[in-house]
Amino acid sequence: MHDLRRQALESGKTTSRKARSKVSSPANSKPSSPATSRAASRVRGNGSRAGSDDEGELSDETSFSVGSIDEVLNGDSTEHSGDAWRPELADRIEETLARKGSTVQGREKCYKAYVHILTAQYAEEEIRGKEAELVVAFLKSIKEEKTEKETILAMKALAMTLMTSPSDLIYEAASTPLKRAISHSTSTASKAAAIHTLGTCTFYGGASDDEILENMDFLLEIITSDGYTISAPDEPEPVAAALEEWGFLCTLIDDMSPQSEDAVEAFAEQITSSFPSVQIAAGENIALLFEKSFKQVDPEEDSLADFPDSEIMSDPDETPGVPKLIRLYPAYRRTDQLIHSLQSIASISTHHLSKTDRKALRTNFVDILNSVEYPTRGPRYQNAISDETGKRYGSRMVVRIHKGGVMKIDKWWKLTRLQGLKRVLQGGFVGHYEKNEVVFETLPIMMSNDR
């Protein structure tokens, strides 16, 4: 398979300096408030992580859901051949900017077409120079909130604009209207969409490190209050959205030691939620925080003699090539209690959940438990030994890029960023990963041949 890394780096696209510096490498960070309440959230339909991509009139263009992990890894790509989309996009941009006299239904149709094209095509050249005007138009729809559908489509259009052409100026313009929508919208779906859009704008829109941490605190307050701080008490959608975007932003922070204890405490409360979407998102953040509390031993920089044996983690299976880890700080002090809770969910057998939800909880929490106990192990780790190589399979989570290669997702930070990208790009992820340098730099993983 052709080298996607070389293709991305040679694409010639200019990424904003701040966006490039933040997305190019994973990290560790700074939440705050401790968990204060337990609570569930009122569920609608399926309680699985994904929920439905299609509720009522809402469609893929309005969805920030990525479905189960298997759907994330193997979702169909959105592709369109030919150049017919170019004049169509030009018309939709012109229609968006010439807002005077437009109707709600007309804007909904226009935004939907705009999002669909930007999802399916890498259109940085086509929107170049128009981003600021487009953002102003989308923010106007978000502020006015004429209908739930127009509002969510405007949020998705804003996120796709930023994903296509990042700017250090967008966060400053968008953060206040988005936070206002999160706190004051009367629509739960709009609140959740605004949370996801705030995450995208924070990640790619030029937010400073302090602003990233401030937004993580804001999201943690939503989580610990079960939505009460944004007038969405016990609603699963905004709480799950806050958990997902907190994890996405957490990958930008190098040192989580000041916040890890309170954050894990908050997430440990949420794994007891009545809603699998909330439980899984909270559990994945716990695994991410434990992963971030260790570093791989660097033979050139680290002398194991400088660390007590209790701070050195070796692969319990002594798998050749698996490096030792050094504990940088305790991710959580009551780890034994946490492990007990994770074990209970990993072996859940209750019948009040659907078969799909039970399977999702077991599969995800087996992985989460494995990583908390053995941070050398990433998602979908398998102890089984390959007959061909004689080695343990290890993490077997991969993303298939068309039919020619695979991307190995063997760390929680990689899975967190993959899911963050898929929430915005949906079926257009593969096309953007191959052509959009911004997307590639968010998850800079080399492809390997699928053999």
Side-chain angles (χ1 to χ4, degrees), residues 63-85:
S63 175
F64 282 92
S65 168
V66 296
S68 68
I69 287 180
D70 288 332
E71 290 170 326
V72 172
L73 300 178
N74 303 310
D76 294 335
S77 61
T78 300
E79 296 181 350
H80 292 269
S81 58
D83 288 330
W85 61 272

Side-chain angles (χ1 to χ4, degrees), residues 49 64-66 159 163 182 191-204 212 215-216 218-220 222-223 237-252 267 281 285 288 416 419-424:
R49 163 123 195 192
F64 282 92
S65 168
V66 296
M163 193 74 81
I182 292 168
K191 288 178 183 289
I195 289 170
H196 287 304
T197 308
L198 178 66
T200 301
C201 288
T202 306
F203 202 100
Y204 297 103
I212 293 170
N215 284 340
M216 291 175 69
F218 174 66
L219 295 172
L220 199 65
I222 296 171
I223 295 161
E237 294 93 340
V239 174
L243 284 161
E244 290 165 352
E245 296 306 328
W246 189 97
F248 191 49
L249 296 181
C250 181
T251 66
L252 290 172
F267 304 146
N285 283 351
L288 175 65
T416 301
Q419 292 181 146
L421 290 169
K422 287 281 288 185
R423 279 193 292 272
V424 179

Side-chain angles (χ1 to χ4, degrees), residues 80-89 121 126:
H80 292 269
S81 58
D83 288 330
W85 61 272
R86 297 181 192 276
E88 170 71 9
L89 177 58
Q121 307 292 339
E126 284 70 24

Side-chain angles (χ1 to χ4, degrees), residues 162-379:
L162 188 52
M163 193 74 81
T164 300
S165 182
S167 166
D168 287 351
L169 303 177
I170 289 182
Y171 174 78
E172 184 176 354
S175 60
T176 298
L178 288 172
K179 286 186 176 180
R180 188 181 300 119
I182 292 168
S183 298
H184 301 298
S185 174
T186 57
S187 160
T188 301
S190 294
K191 288 178 183 289
I195 289 170
H196 287 304
T197 308
L198 178 66
T200 301
C201 288
T202 306
F203 202 100
Y204 297 103
S208 67
D209 290 344
D210 286 344
E211 287 166 331
I212 293 170
L213 296 174
E214 178 185 319
N215 284 340
M216 291 175 69
D217 286 345
F218 174 66
L219 295 172
L220 199 65
E221 288 173 1
I222 296 171
I223 295 161
T224 58
S225 72
D226 297 294
Y228 276 81
T229 58
I230 58 168
S231 302
D234 299 335
E235 291 285 355
E237 294 93 340
V239 174
L243 284 161
E244 290 165 352
E245 296 306 328
W246 189 97
F248 191 49
L249 296 181
C250 181
T251 66
L252 290 172
I253 306 299
D254 288 323
D255 181 11
M256 279 295 297
S257 58
Q259 304 84 13
S260 188
E261 180 76 18
D262 287 344
V264 175
E265 181 74 18
F267 304 146
E269 289 283 340
Q270 291 299 338
I271 63 174
T272 65
S273 167
S274 301
F275 305 100
S277 60
V278 172
Q279 291 176 275
I280 292 171
E284 288 176 351
N285 283 351
I286 290 172
L288 175 65
L289 286 169
F290 270 80
E291 177 180 274
K292 290 169 77 65
S293 69
F294 285 81
K295 64 165 285 188
Q296 184 174 313
V297 172
D298 185 337
E300 297 182 2
E301 296 182 5
D302 301 316
S303 171
L304 295 182
D306 295 337
F307 300 90
D309 291 344
S310 60
E311 301 303 306
I312 300 172
M313 172 74 70
S314 300
D315 176 31
D317 300 318
E318 299 182 348
T319 305
V322 176
K324 288 182 169 62
L325 300 179
I326 298 171
R327 189 195 311 272
L328 301 173
Y329 54 87
Y332 187 57
R333 300 188 186 282
R334 292 185 287 172
T335 302
D336 290 345
Q337 180 179 327
L338 175 63
I339 287 175
H340 178 74
S341 299
L342 296 174
Q343 288 172 335
S344 298
I345 303 172
S347 58
I348 193 168
S349 59
T350 180
H351 292 290
H352 78 272
L353 294 172
S354 69
K355 183 177 180 180
T356 300
D357 286 345
R358 286 200 304 272
K359 180 180 178 181
L361 284 172
R362 288 173 182 165
T363 299
N364 284 281
F365 275 88
V366 164
D367 287 351
I368 293 161
L369 173 63
N370 211 359
S371 293
V372 168
E373 292 184 307
Y374 306 107
T376 55
R377 299 174 176 177

